[in-house]
Amino acid sequence: MACGRRYHRGRSGWATSGIHREFHSTNIVATQAGASWSYEFIGTAVEVLGTIPTAMASVTVTFSIDGVKIQDYNSPANFPQDTRHQTFFRSIDHLNLDPTVKHKLQVTQQTLPSAGRFLFFDYLLYTASNSTQIDQATTRAFIDEREAKYCR
């Protein structure tokens, strides 16, 4: 399993948050517009999930792979309750990734975070294609922001 998270806290615009129902209470949330995090993987697909909070205004987040903008995610506004485990991005919906090379997912919050204008990023999933990455070839891997403790 590839170890090492690549989001930045504090000066770089990220804070941790979360409750027990979110994976080990390990959400991250942007504290400034333009804050970004990235993750490198070898695989054929990647998916980013998190929480949309109650009564939120719309937020725009950009997803790029290998330096190419793939999608802007515009969250729905005015949710009546916290909605967890929501898919913000799925690469399989947009492109087929080369299973033999390392890819870089980049996530950037475009909207200035303010009261009611933020998303909580909880975890990502990717479909690995290299048996040296994880135990079985073509297996889905669960990567949480504290994933380094799961590495061998």
Side-chain angles (χ1 to χ4, degrees):
M1 177 180 297
C3 299
R5 52 189 148 78
R6 298 204 180 23
Y7 76 88
H8 304 281
R9 299 183 207 177
R11 291 183 317 170
S12 298
W14 293 100
T16 57
S17 183
I19 63 171
H20 181 69
R21 284 187 276 174
E22 294 146 340
F23 188 78
H24 291 290
S25 305
T26 57
N27 284 345
I28 58 171
V29 61
T31 59
Q32 65 189 38
S36 67
W37 60 268
S38 64
Y39 189 79
E40 294 179 346
F41 65 99
I42 297 174
T44 58
V46 64
E47 186 172 354
V48 178
L49 297 94
T51 298
I52 301 173
T54 304
M56 179 191 106
S58 184
V59 172
T60 301
V61 177
T62 299
F63 293 89
S64 302
I65 294 182
D66 301 333
V68 177
K69 179 180 170 182
I70 305 299
Q71 173 190 346
D72 278 336
Y73 172 81
N74 296 300
S75 67
N78 302 316
F79 259 47
Q81 62 186 9
D82 288 354
T83 307
R84 292 173 179 78
H85 310 292
Q86 293 298 296
T87 299
F88 300 144
F89 175 74
R90 287 181 0 162
S91 66
I92 199 88
D93 293 343
H94 303 282
L95 70 159
N96 294 316
L97 297 175
D98 183 341
T100 64
V101 301
K102 184 184 286 187
H103 299 285
K104 182 177 181 181
L105 168 71
Q106 179 91 25
V107 180
T108 305
Q109 175 144 342
Q110 302 298 332
T111 311
L112 177 65
S114 61
R117 291 185 65 136
F118 47 87
L119 293 175
F120 295 99
F121 295 96
D122 194 13
Y123 59 97
L124 65 84
L125 300 169
Y126 76 91
T127 304
S129 56
N130 182 339
S131 61
T132 62
Q133 287 284 109
I134 53 181
D135 291 337
Q136 299 172 337
T138 316
T139 301
R140 273 190 105 162
F142 177 85
I143 306 297
D144 173 74
E145 68 93 17
R146 294 184 185 178
E147 102 304 311
K149 73 179 184 181
Y150 298 109
C151 297
R152 297 177 199 157

